[in-house]
Amino acid sequence: VVSLSGLFIEDVDKNVVAGFCCAMLILVTAFIPVAIAYGLYQRIMHAKVGKPYSHFICHHKAATGSFARLLKMLCSGRPDFKGKIFIDSDGPSDLDKLYDMVGNQTDMLVVLCSGALLTRPVCVGEIATAKERNVNVVKVIFPDFSEPDTGFIEQYATFVPDLTILAQRGVGLISIQGALQYLSDRPKLQLPARLSMVVMQELSTKLTQGSIATTALALMEDAPGASSAQNLILPDHSNWEAVTAAHILAHLLSKSPSQAATKAPLVLGPDMDLPESAATLIVVCTSGAFSQSHMLRTVMLAAKSGLSHLAVITDEGFRFPTDSFLNDNQALVASLTGTPEQLLLILKRIFEQSAVSFNASGSDESLVKKAAEVAERMSRATQFLDLKDLDIKGPGEKDLKVSSIGGKHMVLV
């Protein structure tokens, strides 16, 4: 409005106008070399000290949130690693800023290729941005992932019809299809059928070594651990988010001031037995966990040993066992015990006191606070009833020495 009002001035001082225009021209002319110099400075600094983030983890949070968090912990904890790792779910809600981080502030985009990753527009946008800005891309392949074939790429708009969020940022269908084809050609680290801490350590080593070639990581089981371990964690090994959540909790509890060095938690493998020295059992409660035989058998062994218990929930989809549990799992229960009513009593007893939530895909700060809460609750957990007559079938029963164990704790995560 102010500018337009000048059109209605009849008596104009041409000298003033000319002077103002000359001043503006000088300012604009002076700004151009300043802008060029700043751009060159940014390029030189990037070349000398590198970009702010050495690795940017692209992932589908619902499927691999805990995995991504544990991977960041392991990579960042390596003594020979000096880089900085960022997880996309920790990023700004403004996608323009998030994509700027990928394109201009990241050396390597690590794509956690789980089954539904390529149906997530935000993740595909990160891959497209990396391709456009020549950012190095490495894939971590999960067992349920399928490489995008020609049909999927050509018909992508049919499989993922709502691409508005990308179109608004100039990422069209052609760019998306190019990114998918580009992703297919990038080097990959293939995960084995079963996850262990040894595999996670190997993955973190390869990602932080620099140049990466396509590799299939071997199936490696964790060592049995010390037979004198007092604190144990039992995850559902058919659920990788449960396994990674268990290792995150073990890592954080081992650093808790309330946990002595001798009480560093041990994550139980699928074939590990309860050591006689066990004082605490942490069972990762996730959706479907109590439909797994190794979970139920270990819980019964812990109850028969007179351990105490605390429920900590890591999965929003987890549902507490109800009276219909025995009917819904008749064959499984019959294969584990001749006293199914006592099994149901054990499961109900576990959740009589309030649970602690533990979102293993949360921020680093929130996880530290939650781990401290778990450690505090472990110190005042409720003890099981006397269930020494509980009938348990299957592996592990013959190794149990009930009379030597008492006053112990079981924590369910």
Side-chain angles (χ1 to χ4, degrees), residues 95 99 118-125 155-169 171-173 176:
L95 286 185
Y99 290 161
L118 298 182
T119 64
R120 317 305 296 177
V122 173
C123 297
V124 173
Q155 301 298 321
Y156 188 76
T158 301
F159 292 105
V160 187
D162 188 4
L163 299 173
T164 306
I165 195 173
L166 296 181
Q168 292 173 341
R169 290 160 178 80
V171 183
L173 182 59
I176 293 171

Side-chain angles (χ1 to χ4, degrees), residues 249-257 259-261 263-265:
L249 185 58
H251 174 76
L252 295 175
L253 286 177
S254 68
K255 297 179 178 297
S256 174
Q259 301 293 309
K263 294 184 179 180

